Amino acid sequence: MNKILLSLGTLATFGLYVLLVRGHQASVLSAATFSRVPTAVDNSPAELASSTAPAAIEQVAPSIIPSVTATTGFKDGQYTGTSFDAFYGNVQVKVTVKSGKISDVQFLDYPRERGESVQINSYATPLLRQEAMTAQSAQVDIVSGATQTSLGFRKSLQSALSQAS
């Protein structure tokens, strides 16, 4: 009985810590399960090597997607990206451009057949969408725990932005 109470107390303390440190991101799922992983898009290879990023991400990230570097200059309209295999399902996005900037990104398809995929993507898809609108490019951080969805998102987004260029 004491072990159960101690375990519950420890979990509650950790949960409170996560909420205080991570803010609103931790309200969906525990930040210990998911976190943003720096990629070569954000850091030099030397910085990546010294980071806590998993080795698999370091090997994949440097050459994934060329970016659309301008923050403006896209043609207004809606553009549908190519569908990409994300291991547990396909990922496809549609981008809306207004006044030369990304104004909306919608997921047309993403892995959602398995219960675990539903849980992971309920957390990852809003983060990826928001990050793309903030970055105004396909250069978004990979969400750990949703690596395949993140990579498929980046590829589909880049194909849509290529049409808008």
Side-chain angles (χ1 to χ4, degrees), residues 2-165:
N2 286 339
K3 289 181 182 181
I4 293 172
L5 291 175
L6 181 60
S7 296
L8 288 175
T10 303
L11 286 174
T13 303
F14 177 73
L16 182 59
Y17 169 78
V18 168
L19 288 174
L20 291 174
V21 172
R22 290 295 208 165
H24 72 280
Q25 288 182 353
S27 65
V28 178
L29 293 174
S30 169
T33 305
F34 299 100
S35 63
R36 290 164 46 163
V37 176
T39 66
V41 172
D42 303 312
N43 305 91
S44 71
E47 290 171 351
L48 275 174
S50 66
S51 74
T52 59
I57 300 299
E58 294 173 18
Q59 292 171 359
V60 172
S63 63
I64 292 177
I65 300 174
S67 70
V68 176
T69 55
T71 57
T72 61
F74 297 121
K75 294 181 282 187
D76 287 1
Q78 290 188 336
Y79 305 93
T80 301
T82 305
S83 180
F84 286 93
D85 182 22
F87 192 73
Y88 293 108
N90 294 325
V91 175
Q92 185 176 29
V93 299
K94 179 171 73 173
V95 177
T96 303
V97 177
K98 289 185 182 173
S99 301
K101 294 186 176 186
I102 299 171
S103 63
D104 190 26
V105 178
Q106 297 174 345
F107 279 84
L108 300 178
D109 196 12
Y110 59 92
R112 56 181 164 223
E113 295 299 320
R114 299 173 45 230
E116 186 177 1
S117 294
V118 171
Q119 182 183 23
I120 289 168
N121 290 313
S122 70
Y123 175 79
T125 56
L127 283 177
L128 292 166
R129 180 184 174 276
Q130 182 60 46
E131 185 135 351
M133 292 190 331
T134 300
Q136 291 293 301
S137 77
Q139 302 288 1
V140 297
D141 286 340
I142 293 172
V143 178
S144 70
T147 303
Q148 296 301 318
T149 298
S150 299
L151 295 174
F153 173 81
R154 289 169 64 167
K155 291 176 183 178
S156 185
L157 179 59
Q158 183 59 52
S159 74
L161 292 177
S162 294
Q163 297 170 42
S165 294

